[in-house]
Structures are given as C-alpha cells and as structure tokens.
Amino acid sequence: MSEIEETLKRISSHKGIQGIVVVNNEGIPLRSTLEPEKTTHYAATVLQLAQKARSVVRDLDATNDLTFLRVRTKKHEIMIAPEKDYMLIVVQNPNQD
C-alpha cells in the first residue's frame, strides 16, 4: 500500500470522517472517498475558498502563506490543507458520537 493510501486510510479511521478528497492545483480530483458528484462539488468549491483565503493571508502579510483552513458549519467541518502541488480536503461530522 502506498504512503498516500495509508494516510487516507488513517484519516478515514477517525471518528466522524465522512470523506476525503485530494485535488491538484487546478481542482481536478486525484483521489476521493466520496461519491463522484460530491467529489466534483467539493473539489471545485473548496478550491475557490482556499484560493480566496490564501489571497487574504497574502494581502495582510506578503511574506505569509495559508497552511491550513478549517470551516465549521451546523452540519459539517471541512478541513483544508493546501500544499504545493495538491490540496487535501477532509469532510467531517463534528457532532457524530
């Protein structure tokens, strides 16, 4: 099993994880544990959010960069880890017992 697959399996084993999506910098899904329709939707919309957040961080301090973004709603928590060549998106239900 590759290092990527092991990491995805480890993250998926945490309580409340509903899905993981790995996208490239163009928003194209590379790997996902979600259904195809949800994968495409999360890939496109979260990429835009992360790009906007990165822009805000750089506007505030040109020497800084976005390393992690967490968005919590009533139903989900979306954790976004942008890297150089890809972005990791984890969708979780924070209220799941």
Side-chain angles (χ1 to χ4, degrees):
M1 185 181 296
S2 74
E3 183 179 340
I4 293 170
E5 294 300 327
E6 287 178 22
T7 301
L8 293 178
K9 186 176 178 182
R10 181 176 47 82
I11 292 170
S12 293
S13 70
H14 288 276
K15 188 169 99 175
I17 299 298
Q18 295 183 325
I20 301 169
V21 182
V22 179
V23 299
N24 67 13
N25 289 335
E26 296 167 4
I28 298 169
L30 305 174
R31 293 238 168 73
S32 178
T33 62
L34 294 171
E35 307 84 59
E37 185 177 305
K38 281 189 175 183
T39 296
T40 303
H41 186 71
Y42 273 104
T45 55
V46 171
L47 178 68
Q48 291 175 9
L49 176 64
Q51 288 171 337
K52 184 56 104 174
R54 174 173 272 154
S55 176
V56 168
V57 168
R58 288 182 177 166
D59 284 349
L60 294 172
D61 180 354
T63 64
N64 207 351
D65 199 5
L66 181 70
T67 57
F68 193 80
L69 178 63
R70 183 182 298 235
V71 178
R72 187 164 181 163
T73 68
K74 291 179 182 178
K75 295 181 179 180
H76 299 102
E77 186 170 41
I78 303 168
M79 294 163 281
I80 307 156
E83 294 294 331
K84 183 176 183 251
D85 298 323
Y86 64 92
M87 181 180 311
L88 176 67
I89 303 165
V90 179
V91 181
Q92 168 178 303
N93 179 348
N95 303 315
Q96 187 171 342
D97 293 329

